[in-house]
Amino acid sequence: MANLGIPQNTIEILQKYKFNFQKKFGQNFLIDTSVLERIVAAAQITKDDFVLEIGPGIGTMTQYLAEAAGQVVAVEIDKALIPILEETLAEYTNVTVINADVLKLDLKQLADERNGGKPIKVVANLPYYITTPIIMSLFESGTPLESITIMVQKEVAERMQVGPGTKDYGALSLAVQYYAKPEIVANVPPNCFIPRPTVGSAVIRLTRHQEPPVDVMDDHHMFALIRASFNQRRKTLANGLSNAPELHLTRDQVTQAVEKMGLSATVRGETLTLAQFAELSNLLKNA
Ligand code: SAM
């Protein structure tokens, strides 16, 4: 099968099947061989690897992944793409396409059944409308993971990487950094896709931590604190957390914990590091 990274080949297959792009599925297909090579190189795929691809589209990146990996499972929601994938991936015996909504699949079970519970690599040019839910469900479902190498909106990639003191710092930064080490590996302009997205894109690799980088007694509790802090970003922690009904905390409890940590009683959540959120969560659990 012709390399779909070459724009003319993609156009031919789209015309052959009279394919209509579905905006609601975030369909922007890659048409740049050097970007495709960079993604696969960044994911460090070898023949020992089991790769989950989310949203193969017409199979452009899938072809590259099939060449490099041992096994590839590609999950595509759009039924109209399935016959196209049958043609574009026909020569690969190591690719399985599943027609499903990735958010409704049990990915832990998939990794357990198809890769004997060993860590998998996720590689995807993600549909941008569900970037955060996909990443969070990969981490929170307990799916055994080695790394996630994904194309996302440029601003979202930056949000995953930053620390306190920047306006982009938030719950997503902390969640990603709790589970993984984020590294932006490429910036990708709109003209590398058909149709062109209205935003810039970036490829980011999230390498799963073997051990969490902080000691926290109850990570659900820590993430509840984090969410409440950034929901009320402009409030002090004492006000923000005591206002959040799900936490059942008083202003005094929060102030005491914050002061115990050597911080000012008027500190805001957006200035805390992951280690400080972990410490605060442990103090409040013990209180
Ligand atoms: N991988 C292809 C490429 O790079 O050219 C296509 C990438 S396109 C940005 C995103 C793909 O994800 C589309 O094929 C879209 O139909 C698919 N998709 C969107 N939502 C999905 C979902 N919930 N589950 C699985 N696939 C989804």
Side-chain angles (χ1 to χ4, degrees):
M1 178 67 207
N3 177 343
L4 295 166
I6 295 163
Q8 190 52 34
N9 294 337
T10 282
I11 290 163
E12 270 171 27
I13 202 97
L14 293 174
Q15 284 175 347
K16 177 173 172 188
Y17 285 86
K18 299 188 171 61
F19 180 74
N20 290 316
F21 285 99
Q22 300 259 15
K23 226 178 169 161
K24 67 171 183 204
F25 290 144
Q27 292 176 337
N28 302 94
F29 298 163
L30 264 169
I31 41 164
D32 187 302
T33 52
S34 67
V35 172
L36 287 152
E37 282 159 14
R38 294 240 330 249
I39 296 173
V40 176
Q44 297 165 354
I45 294 164
T46 71
K47 285 286 165 194
D48 289 333
D49 287 321
F50 177 99
V51 175
L52 168 66
E53 185 190 7
I54 297 164
I58 58 171
T60 314
M61 194 153 69
T62 327
Q63 293 180 332
Y64 284 74
L65 296 170
E67 298 282 349
Q71 283 294 321
V72 180
V73 169
V75 179
E76 174 56 60
I77 196 169
D78 186 354
K79 232 176 26 233
L81 288 166
I82 304 304
I84 303 183
L85 289 164
E86 272 166 23
E87 175 173 340
T88 60
L89 302 173
E91 73 192 58
Y92 299 105
T93 54
N94 60 343
V95 177
T96 310
V97 174
I98 300 177
N99 182 203
D101 176 348
V102 72
L103 291 175
K104 295 195 178 133
L105 274 191
D106 185 336
L107 296 175
K108 182 175 184 319
Q109 188 186 351
L110 189 137
D112 286 347
E113 283 176 6
R114 294 180 186 250
N115 199 37
K118 292 196 299 293
I120 65 168
K121 288 182 176 168
V122 176
V123 184
N125 170 15
L126 284 185
Y128 295 170
Y129 75 108
I130 43 170
T131 300
T132 302
I134 289 176
I135 295 173
M136 293 319 297
S137 87
L138 280 167
F139 286 135
E140 289 173 350
S141 62
T143 304
L145 283 174
E146 203 166 319
S147 62
I148 305 177
T149 306
I150 41 176
M151 178 91 71
V152 298
Q153 195 178 324
K154 188 164 178 281
E155 284 72 21
V156 177
E158 283 159 4
R159 232 182 281 157
M160 291 186 218
Q161 240 194 356
V162 293
T166 57
K167 71 170 180 18
D168 288 337
Y169 185 57
L172 180 65
S173 329
L174 285 154
V176 164
Q177 293 165 29
Y178 177 67
Y179 291 107
K181 180 173 88 166
E183 291 162 281
I184 292 179
V185 293
N187 282 315
V188 182
N191 62 5
C192 295
F193 302 87
I194 176 172
R196 294 182 184 194
T198 49
V199 293
S201 304
V203 179
I204 189 164
R205 179 178 59 219
L206 311 176
T207 309
R208 183 83 163 89
H209 293 307
Q210 299 292 326
E211 296 292 332
V214 295
D215 275 328
V216 60
M217 283 155 47
D218 178 349
D219 53 8
H220 290 286
H221 181 258
M222 177 178 75
F223 282 117
L225 291 182
I226 289 172
R227 272 193 303 274
S229 305
F230 286 97
N231 276 345
Q232 311 210 14
R233 220 187 155 101
R234 320 201 69 135
K235 295 225 161 95
T236 64
L237 265 183
N239 282 337
L241 298 186
S242 58
N243 276 345
E246 69 280 11
L247 292 173
H248 310 290
L249 290 167
T250 65
R251 242 180 141 269
D252 279 353
Q253 280 173 317
V254 181
T255 305
Q256 266 180 27
V258 163
E259 287 181 340
K260 224 177 191 166
M261 290 170 63
L263 299 171
S264 147
T266 60
V267 71
R268 288 185 191 174
E270 65 187 3
T271 68
L272 264 58
T273 62
L274 175 62
Q276 287 173 318
F277 272 112
E279 188 184 353
L280 180 65
S281 167
N282 291 345
L283 284 168
L284 291 171
K285 280 291 272 191
N286 280 333

